[in-house]
Amino acid sequence: MIYLYTMVVYDFKNVGKLKKLKHSDMVLPKHADSIDNIKNGLFKEFDYTSYKDIPPNPNESIRTLQELIKLIGINTNEEFIYSMDRITNMFKELCSELKVPFDEIEAEKLLDAASGIILDLKYHHNRPRPNLVAKLYGLSLDKNKLHLDTADSPSFPSGHATQGTLIAKYFANKYPNHALRFNKLGRDIGKSRVNAKVHYPSDIIAGEQLGNDMFQHLKENNLL
């Protein structure tokens, strides 16, 4: 199997294009504003330099090709994808089901504060979304034609996985009796992005780790 992957990569005429491919040549203004606001937010003292030192798998690597092939084999669930796309609403619905108070202001505050760091890392690595890389491999991830407004930034790390994990940890800490349910929802939010084929599995892993580290930072510094 590895031999076949190697043949696909190194016999492919667009290897040079794969190596050069990136998500964007510029940072969107709305994203630049979020990055600029890091210095004023909850995570202004959060050290995330290690996340800049570890890049995602290169576009032309066997590991990236393996991830693309895995994505191709996924049957998308549009209802799951679109529901999980709305992070705040999903946690609000779960709190309602569990009959515990939902602090929307605090949840939005956490989401906004995290977004700057997520975007800074995304543009630092500038990993193109899977569909862009797949095209250069002659593969297609566009069968379902999903329309997600939340996939307009670079791929690594996953913002949904990061924010889903962070909010899940916040509510799990607040309501420990329901920790399993909140943490499951956080994981499902990350999984939905792979199901939508807008992220590599490795984007989700990095996002979940980042979300965990963000939560630990808040907890250790009494910022919750």
Side-chain angles (χ1 to χ4, degrees):
M1 184 65 73
I2 294 298
Y3 174 74
L4 291 177
Y5 288 151
T6 304
M7 292 298 292
V8 170
V9 173
Y10 290 101
D11 284 350
F12 191 60
K13 297 179 181 179
N14 287 333
V15 170
K17 292 181 180 179
L18 281 166
K19 289 182 177 180
K20 295 178 182 178
L21 183 66
K22 54 187 177 181
H23 173 82
S24 176
D25 292 323
M26 61 171 289
V27 180
L28 293 176
K30 62 179 180 179
H31 294 163
D33 289 342
S34 291
I35 296 170
D36 188 56
N37 284 331
I38 294 173
K39 61 181 180 292
N40 301 316
L42 280 173
F43 296 104
K44 60 185 177 183
E45 303 296 335
F46 177 62
D47 183 6
Y48 59 100
T49 53
S50 63
Y51 284 90
K52 290 189 174 182
D53 294 336
I54 304 175
N57 298 320
N59 299 331
E60 72 279 8
S61 70
I62 291 175
R63 288 185 177 180
T64 293
L65 179 58
Q66 289 173 326
E67 288 194 288
L68 286 173
I69 291 172
K70 181 176 181 178
L71 292 179
I72 289 171
I74 292 173
N75 292 320
T76 58
N77 181 334
E78 293 191 14
E79 182 179 356
F80 175 63
I81 292 166
Y82 285 120
S83 63
M84 293 295 162
D85 194 39
R86 303 170 295 124
I87 297 175
T88 303
N89 285 350
M90 290 308 301
F91 281 100
K92 185 176 183 179
E93 289 176 11
L94 180 55
C95 283
S96 177
E97 178 187 337
L98 298 173
K99 296 180 171 54
V100 296
F102 174 72
D103 190 339
E104 185 166 357
I105 293 177
E106 187 64 23
E108 290 292 346
K109 181 180 178 182
L110 288 171
L111 290 174
D112 289 343
S115 64
I117 289 175
I118 294 166
L119 289 165
D120 191 30
L121 289 170
K122 281 175 172 284
Y123 282 102
H124 173 78
H125 295 295
N126 216 352
R127 188 183 200 183
R129 295 277 177 166
N131 66 306
L132 298 177
V133 178
K135 288 177 182 178
L136 289 182
Y137 276 110
L139 305 172
S140 176
L141 296 178
D142 295 328
K143 291 181 179 178
N144 295 285
K145 303 295 183 183
L146 293 170
H147 298 288
L148 294 172
D149 295 332
T150 52
D152 61 350
S153 61
S155 196
F156 183 89
S158 164
H160 273 66
T162 304
Q163 292 175 317
T165 300
L166 174 61
I167 301 300
K169 294 297 180 183
Y170 166 76
F171 281 111
N173 181 69
K174 190 171 185 177
Y175 306 118
N177 290 340
H178 302 297
L180 290 176
R181 293 291 304 278
F182 285 114
N183 287 326
K184 181 182 184 303
L185 176 54
R187 291 192 298 272
D188 283 346
I189 287 170
K191 289 177 182 177
S192 74
R193 305 302 278 181
V194 172
N195 190 265
K197 306 182 183 183
V198 295
H199 274 294
Y200 298 95
S202 55
D203 297 338
I204 307 305
I205 293 171
E208 290 177 342
Q209 181 65 54
L210 179 59
N212 278 315
D213 286 349
M214 285 180 157
F215 173 74
Q216 285 302 123
H217 171 79
L218 295 178
K219 190 172 183 179
E220 291 170 3
N221 290 279
N222 299 313
L223 296 172
L224 291 172

